[in-house]
Amino acid sequence: WYAREVHWYAALAPIAGVRCPRCHCARYDALTGEYVLVLEDLRAAGCRPLAVAEATAAATTLGRLHGRFADVFDDDARREIVRGPLPIMPITLALAIPIEKFFRDCWKAVRGERRYALAELLADRGEAAGPAAIGLLDALAAPGAYASMTEALAAPPRTLLHGDFRPENMMVEDATGEVVVYDWQFASVGNGAYDLAYFSALVADPDDRRRLDPELRRAYVSGLAGSGAPVPRDLERDLRYGCLLALASFVMGAAVAGDDAASVETHRRGLRRLAAAALDWGAAVSDLFCHCYR
């Protein structure tokens, strides 16, 4: 993970056009796995946590990042931008099959845990919401489904992904109003809709997020345009795919969260928000076999 973050700060951050902590030192030893990162103290620099009201600014920032790196890792003529240790997709495409098995085992465990009961977490969405979300996860746990979904978002055109683009990994600089993005351990290459789905679903509770959805889409597209990148042709479909993969990630996190109260609450909130977004955006079992995994 830290090889990715060091590469971001050493090679990509200087050309990204996105505010992140200023880096004083970034070193990684591939032989030992030892690393050093010395970064700016954001609170001392006058930064504060991102508020929900600033979500559109974050979506614009994300669009600008994705636009800056649109297609650069797929274009042999632009090899001056080095991918380095960044894998394809945050949870690596090359490991999709073993991760699929791990997810299946995790979902089996989480499905039976009362504290993560989706029928309870989605109770305010109506009686059908919980069973519908469980049905989606059951289908995603079927052989080939998770790997197929990962492959779908790994296909070109690709861009640089943050991989964990949620409000907890952002601050706002008071002096400039800029969104500051940190925690780049999941940096990778893939379909930008993964980051946008992850952020849009997790930025607020379902009622507030539903009101924000159109604004976040527009802000993201504006950021892309500002970097000279086109609007992705299948953005809405890919947002569904990204939301389902993010939901799977939170299932895996919940399965290993243990009994730490803060971690349990983080995963309860994430499961609720991601499941609600998947249903609101029209995710269906048919989405889960969008590509044949090879």
mmCIF file with all atom_site columns, all heavy atoms in Angstrom, residues 178-192:
data_model
loop_
_atom_site.group_PDB
_atom_site.id
_atom_site.type_symbol
_atom_site.label_atom_id
_atom_site.label_alt_id
_atom_site.label_comp_id
_atom_site.label_asym_id
_atom_site.label_entity_id
_atom_site.label_seq_id
_atom_site.pdbx_PDB_ins_code
_atom_site.Cartn_x
_atom_site.Cartn_y
_atom_site.Cartn_z
_atom_site.occupancy
_atom_site.B_iso_or_equiv
_atom_site.pdbx_formal_charge
_atom_site.auth_seq_id
_atom_site.auth_comp_id
_atom_site.auth_asym_id
_atom_site.auth_atom_id
_atom_site.pdbx_PDB_model_num
ATOM 1   N N   . GLU A 1 178 ? -9.765  25.482 -1.087  1.00 0.00 ? 178 GLU A N   1
ATOM 2   C CA  . GLU A 1 178 ? -9.426  24.276 -1.845  1.00 0.00 ? 178 GLU A CA  1
ATOM 3   C C   . GLU A 1 178 ? -9.703  23.015 -1.027  1.00 0.00 ? 178 GLU A C   1
ATOM 4   O O   . GLU A 1 178 ? -9.474  22.976 0.183   1.00 0.00 ? 178 GLU A O   1
ATOM 5   C CB  . GLU A 1 178 ? -7.942  24.280 -2.230  1.00 0.00 ? 178 GLU A CB  1
ATOM 6   C CG  . GLU A 1 178 ? -7.604  25.122 -3.425  1.00 0.00 ? 178 GLU A CG  1
ATOM 7   C CD  . GLU A 1 178 ? -6.179  24.845 -3.870  1.00 0.00 ? 178 GLU A CD  1
ATOM 8   O OE1 . GLU A 1 178 ? -5.247  25.348 -3.217  1.00 0.00 ? 178 GLU A OE1 1
ATOM 9   O OE2 . GLU A 1 178 ? -5.999  24.122 -4.879  1.00 0.00 ? 178 GLU A OE2 1
ATOM 10  N N   . VAL A 1 179 ? -10.160 21.992 -1.727  1.00 0.00 ? 179 VAL A N   1
ATOM 11  C CA  . VAL A 1 179 ? -10.298 20.666 -1.118  1.00 0.00 ? 179 VAL A CA  1
ATOM 12  C C   . VAL A 1 179 ? -8.928  19.996 -1.126  1.00 0.00 ? 179 VAL A C   1
ATOM 13  O O   . VAL A 1 179 ? -8.241  19.966 -2.157  1.00 0.00 ? 179 VAL A O   1
ATOM 14  C CB  . VAL A 1 179 ? -11.316 19.808 -1.898  1.00 0.00 ? 179 VAL A CB  1
ATOM 15  C CG1 . VAL A 1 179 ? -11.376 18.387 -1.329  1.00 0.00 ? 179 VAL A CG1 1
ATOM 16  C CG2 . VAL A 1 179 ? -12.701 20.457 -1.840  1.00 0.00 ? 179 VAL A CG2 1
ATOM 17  N N   . VAL A 1 180 ? -8.533  19.482 0.026   1.00 0.00 ? 180 VAL A N   1
ATOM 18  C CA  . VAL A 1 180 ? -7.230  18.829 0.185   1.00 0.00 ? 180 VAL A CA  1
ATOM 19  C C   . VAL A 1 180 ? -7.487  17.335 0.349   1.00 0.00 ? 180 VAL A C   1
ATOM 20  O O   . VAL A 1 180 ? -8.235  16.922 1.230   1.00 0.00 ? 180 VAL A O   1
ATOM 21  C CB  . VAL A 1 180 ? -6.472  19.370 1.415   1.00 0.00 ? 180 VAL A CB  1
ATOM 22  C CG1 . VAL A 1 180 ? -5.062  18.790 1.471   1.00 0.00 ? 180 VAL A CG1 1
ATOM 23  C CG2 . VAL A 1 180 ? -6.446  20.894 1.411   1.00 0.00 ? 180 VAL A CG2 1
ATOM 24  N N   . VAL A 1 181 ? -6.869  16.530 -0.499  1.00 0.00 ? 181 VAL A N   1
ATOM 25  C CA  . VAL A 1 181 ? -7.120  15.084 -0.520  1.00 0.00 ? 181 VAL A CA  1
ATOM 26  C C   . VAL A 1 181 ? -5.882  14.360 -0.016  1.00 0.00 ? 181 VAL A C   1
ATOM 27  O O   . VAL A 1 181 ? -4.764  14.619 -0.475  1.00 0.00 ? 181 VAL A O   1
ATOM 28  C CB  . VAL A 1 181 ? -7.459  14.606 -1.948  1.00 0.00 ? 181 VAL A CB  1
ATOM 29  C CG1 . VAL A 1 181 ? -7.864  13.132 -1.931  1.00 0.00 ? 181 VAL A CG1 1
ATOM 30  C CG2 . VAL A 1 181 ? -8.565  15.463 -2.558  1.00 0.00 ? 181 VAL A CG2 1
ATOM 31  N N   . TYR A 1 182 ? -6.078  13.437 0.922   1.00 0.00 ? 182 TYR A N   1
ATOM 32  C CA  . TYR A 1 182 ? -4.943  12.690 1.475   1.00 0.00 ? 182 TYR A CA  1
ATOM 33  C C   . TYR A 1 182 ? -5.287  11.205 1.557   1.00 0.00 ? 182 TYR A C   1
ATOM 34  O O   . TYR A 1 182 ? -6.314  10.758 1.047   1.00 0.00 ? 182 TYR A O   1
ATOM 35  C CB  . TYR A 1 182 ? -4.516  13.253 2.832   1.00 0.00 ? 182 TYR A CB  1
ATOM 36  C CG  . TYR A 1 182 ? -5.611  13.386 3.869   1.00 0.00 ? 182 TYR A CG  1
ATOM 37  C CD1 . TYR A 1 182 ? -5.853  12.366 4.782   1.00 0.00 ? 182 TYR A CD1 1
ATOM 38  C CD2 . TYR A 1 182 ? -6.387  14.543 3.948   1.00 0.00 ? 182 TYR A CD2 1
ATOM 39  C CE1 . TYR A 1 182 ? -6.852  12.493 5.743   1.00 0.00 ? 182 TYR A CE1 1
ATOM 40  C CE2 . TYR A 1 182 ? -7.369  14.682 4.902   1.00 0.00 ? 182 TYR A CE2 1
ATOM 41  C CZ  . TYR A 1 182 ? -7.602  13.653 5.802   1.00 0.00 ? 182 TYR A CZ  1
ATOM 42  O OH  . TYR A 1 182 ? -8.591  13.778 6.743   1.00 0.00 ? 182 TYR A OH  1
ATOM 43  N N   . ASP A 1 183 ? -4.390  10.416 2.167   1.00 0.00 ? 183 ASP A N   1
ATOM 44  C CA  . ASP A 1 183 ? -4.515  8.956  2.265   1.00 0.00 ? 183 ASP A CA  1
ATOM 45  C C   . ASP A 1 183 ? -4.613  8.313  0.878   1.00 0.00 ? 183 ASP A C   1
ATOM 46  O O   . ASP A 1 183 ? -5.666  7.859  0.439   1.00 0.00 ? 183 ASP A O   1
ATOM 47  C CB  . ASP A 1 183 ? -5.721  8.560  3.126   1.00 0.00 ? 183 ASP A CB  1
ATOM 48  C CG  . ASP A 1 183 ? -5.427  8.657  4.615   1.00 0.00 ? 183 ASP A CG  1
ATOM 49  O OD1 . ASP A 1 183 ? -4.297  9.049  4.960   1.00 0.00 ? 183 ASP A OD1 1
ATOM 50  O OD2 . ASP A 1 183 ? -6.314  8.345  5.419   1.00 0.00 ? 183 ASP A OD2 1
ATOM 51  N N   . TRP A 1 184 ? -3.471  8.224  0.216   1.00 0.00 ? 184 TRP A N   1
ATOM 52  C CA  . TRP A 1 184 ? -3.395  7.735  -1.165  1.00 0.00 ? 184 TRP A CA  1
ATOM 53  C C   . TRP A 1 184 ? -2.928  6.281  -1.246  1.00 0.00 ? 184 TRP A C   1
ATOM 54  O O   . TRP A 1 184 ? -2.449  5.843  -2.285  1.00 0.00 ? 184 TRP A O   1
ATOM 55  C CB  . TRP A 1 184 ? -2.469  8.638  -1.974  1.00 0.00 ? 184 TRP A CB  1
ATOM 56  C CG  . TRP A 1 184 ? -3.040  10.011 -2.189  1.00 0.00 ? 184 TRP A CG  1
ATOM 57  C CD1 . TRP A 1 184 ? -2.963  11.085 -1.340  1.00 0.00 ? 184 TRP A CD1 1
ATOM 58  C CD2 . TRP A 1 184 ? -3.799  10.464 -3.324  1.00 0.00 ? 184 TRP A CD2 1
ATOM 59  N NE1 . TRP A 1 184 ? -3.617  12.163 -1.871  1.00 0.00 ? 184 TRP A NE1 1
ATOM 60  C CE2 . TRP A 1 184 ? -4.137  11.820 -3.095  1.00 0.00 ? 184 TRP A CE2 1
ATOM 61  C CE3 . TRP A 1 184 ? -4.202  9.858  -4.514  1.00 0.00 ? 184 TRP A CE3 1
ATOM 62  C CZ2 . TRP A 1 184 ? -4.865  12.573 -4.005  1.00 0.00 ? 184 TRP A CZ2 1
ATOM 63  C CZ3 . TRP A 1 184 ? -4.931  10.603 -5.429  1.00 0.00 ? 184 TRP A CZ3 1
ATOM 64  C CH2 . TRP A 1 184 ? -5.259  11.940 -5.173  1.00 0.00 ? 184 TRP A CH2 1
ATOM 65  N N   . GLN A 1 185 ? -3.086  5.505  -0.169  1.00 0.00 ? 185 GLN A N   1
ATOM 66  C CA  . GLN A 1 185 ? -2.592  4.125  -0.177  1.00 0.00 ? 185 GLN A CA  1
ATOM 67  C C   . GLN A 1 185 ? -3.305  3.241  -1.192  1.00 0.00 ? 185 GLN A C   1
ATOM 68  O O   . GLN A 1 185 ? -2.771  2.217  -1.605  1.00 0.00 ? 185 GLN A O   1
ATOM 69  C CB  . GLN A 1 185 ? -2.741  3.480  1.205   1.00 0.00 ? 185 GLN A CB  1
ATOM 70  C CG  . GLN A 1 185 ? -1.901  4.110  2.292   1.00 0.00 ? 185 GLN A CG  1
ATOM 71  C CD  . GLN A 1 185 ? -2.718  5.069  3.147   1.00 0.00 ? 185 GLN A CD  1
ATOM 72  O OE1 . GLN A 1 185 ? -3.571  5.786  2.632   1.00 0.00 ? 185 GLN A OE1 1
ATOM 73  N NE2 . GLN A 1 185 ? -2.453  5.077  4.441   1.00 0.00 ? 185 GLN A NE2 1
ATOM 74  N N   . PHE A 1 186 ? -4.538  3.615  -1.582  1.00 0.00 ? 186 PHE A N   1
ATOM 75  C CA  . PHE A 1 186 ? -5.295  2.808  -2.539  1.00 0.00 ? 186 PHE A CA  1
ATOM 76  C C   . PHE A 1 186 ? -5.214  3.365  -3.963  1.00 0.00 ? 186 PHE A C   1
ATOM 77  O O   . PHE A 1 186 ? -5.991  2.957  -4.833  1.00 0.00 ? 186 PHE A O   1
ATOM 78  C CB  . PHE A 1 186 ? -6.761  2.705  -2.110  1.00 0.00 ? 186 PHE A CB  1
ATOM 79  C CG  . PHE A 1 186 ? -6.985  1.760  -0.966  1.00 0.00 ? 186 PHE A CG  1
ATOM 80  C CD1 . PHE A 1 186 ? -6.961  2.219  0.354   1.00 0.00 ? 186 PHE A CD1 1
ATOM 81  C CD2 . PHE A 1 186 ? -7.204  0.416  -1.185  1.00 0.00 ? 186 PHE A CD2 1
ATOM 82  C CE1 . PHE A 1 186 ? -7.162  1.353  1.409   1.00 0.00 ? 186 PHE A CE1 1
ATOM 83  C CE2 . PHE A 1 186 ? -7.416  -0.470 -0.138  1.00 0.00 ? 186 PHE A CE2 1
ATOM 84  C CZ  . PHE A 1 186 ? -7.390  0.002  1.175   1.00 0.00 ? 186 PHE A CZ  1
ATOM 85  N N   . ALA A 1 187 ? -4.286  4.281  -4.196  1.00 0.00 ? 187 ALA A N   1
ATOM 86  C CA  . ALA A 1 187 ? -4.128  4.838  -5.544  1.00 0.00 ? 187 ALA A CA  1
ATOM 87  C C   . ALA A 1 187 ? -3.922  3.708  -6.552  1.00 0.00 ? 187 ALA A C   1
ATOM 88  O O   . ALA A 1 187 ? -3.222  2.731  -6.290  1.00 0.00 ? 187 ALA A O   1
ATOM 89  C CB  . ALA A 1 187 ? -2.940  5.793  -5.574  1.00 0.00 ? 187 ALA A CB  1
ATOM 90  N N   . SER A 1 188 ? -4.564  3.846  -7.699  1.00 0.00 ? 188 SER A N   1
ATOM 91  C CA  . SER A 1 188 ? -4.561  2.774  -8.689  1.00 0.00 ? 188 SER A CA  1
ATOM 92  C C   . SER A 1 188 ? -5.035  3.342  -10.024 1.00 0.00 ? 188 SER A C   1
ATOM 93  O O   . SER A 1 188 ? -5.227  4.551  -10.161 1.00 0.00 ? 188 SER A O   1
ATOM 94  C CB  . SER A 1 188 ? -5.461  1.612  -8.232  1.00 0.00 ? 188 SER A CB  1
ATOM 95  O OG  . SER A 1 188 ? -6.743  2.100  -7.877  1.00 0.00 ? 188 SER A OG  1
ATOM 96  N N   . VAL A 1 189 ? -5.233  2.454  -10.990 1.00 0.00 ? 189 VAL A N   1
ATOM 97  C CA  . VAL A 1 189 ? -5.659  2.853  -12.327 1.00 0.00 ? 189 VAL A CA  1
ATOM 98  C C   . VAL A 1 189 ? -6.957  2.115  -12.649 1.00 0.00 ? 189 VAL A C   1
ATOM 99  O O   . VAL A 1 189 ? -7.073  0.912  -12.401 1.00 0.00 ? 189 VAL A O   1
ATOM 100 C CB  . VAL A 1 189 ? -4.571  2.506  -13.368 1.00 0.00 ? 189 VAL A CB  1
ATOM 101 C CG1 . VAL A 1 189 ? -5.053  2.784  -14.778 1.00 0.00 ? 189 VAL A CG1 1
ATOM 102 C CG2 . VAL A 1 189 ? -3.300  3.298  -13.069 1.00 0.00 ? 189 VAL A CG2 1
ATOM 103 N N   . GLY A 1 190 ? -7.961  2.840  -13.169 1.00 0.00 ? 190 GLY A N   1
ATOM 104 C CA  . GLY A 1 190 ? -9.223  2.189  -13.495 1.00 0.00 ? 190 GLY A CA  1
ATOM 105 C C   . GLY A 1 190 ? -10.248 3.204  -13.971 1.00 0.00 ? 190 GLY A C   1
ATOM 106 O O   . GLY A 1 190 ? -9.913  4.334  -14.341 1.00 0.00 ? 190 GLY A O   1
ATOM 107 N N   . ASN A 1 191 ? -11.494 2.803  -13.933 1.00 0.00 ? 191 ASN A N   1
ATOM 108 C CA  . ASN A 1 191 ? -12.611 3.640  -14.366 1.00 0.00 ? 191 ASN A CA  1
ATOM 109 C C   . ASN A 1 191 ? -12.927 4.665  -13.282 1.00 0.00 ? 191 ASN A C   1
ATOM 110 O O   . ASN A 1 191 ? -13.183 4.313  -12.129 1.00 0.00 ? 191 ASN A O   1
ATOM 111 C CB  . ASN A 1 191 ? -13.822 2.735  -14.634 1.00 0.00 ? 191 ASN A CB  1
ATOM 112 C CG  . ASN A 1 191 ? -14.989 3.456  -15.262 1.00 0.00 ? 191 ASN A CG  1
ATOM 113 O OD1 . ASN A 1 191 ? -15.370 4.538  -14.839 1.00 0.00 ? 191 ASN A OD1 1
ATOM 114 N ND2 . ASN A 1 191 ? -15.580 2.848  -16.272 1.00 0.00 ? 191 ASN A ND2 1
ATOM 115 N N   . GLY A 1 192 ? -12.945 5.941  -13.662 1.00 0.00 ? 192 GLY A N   1
ATOM 116 C CA  . GLY A 1 192 ? -13.171 7.005  -12.686 1.00 0.00 ? 192 GLY A CA  1
ATOM 117 C C   . GLY A 1 192 ? -14.495 6.918  -11.958 1.00 0.00 ? 192 GLY A C   1
ATOM 118 O O   . GLY A 1 192 ? -14.643 7.466  -10.862 1.00 0.00 ? 192 GLY A O   1
#
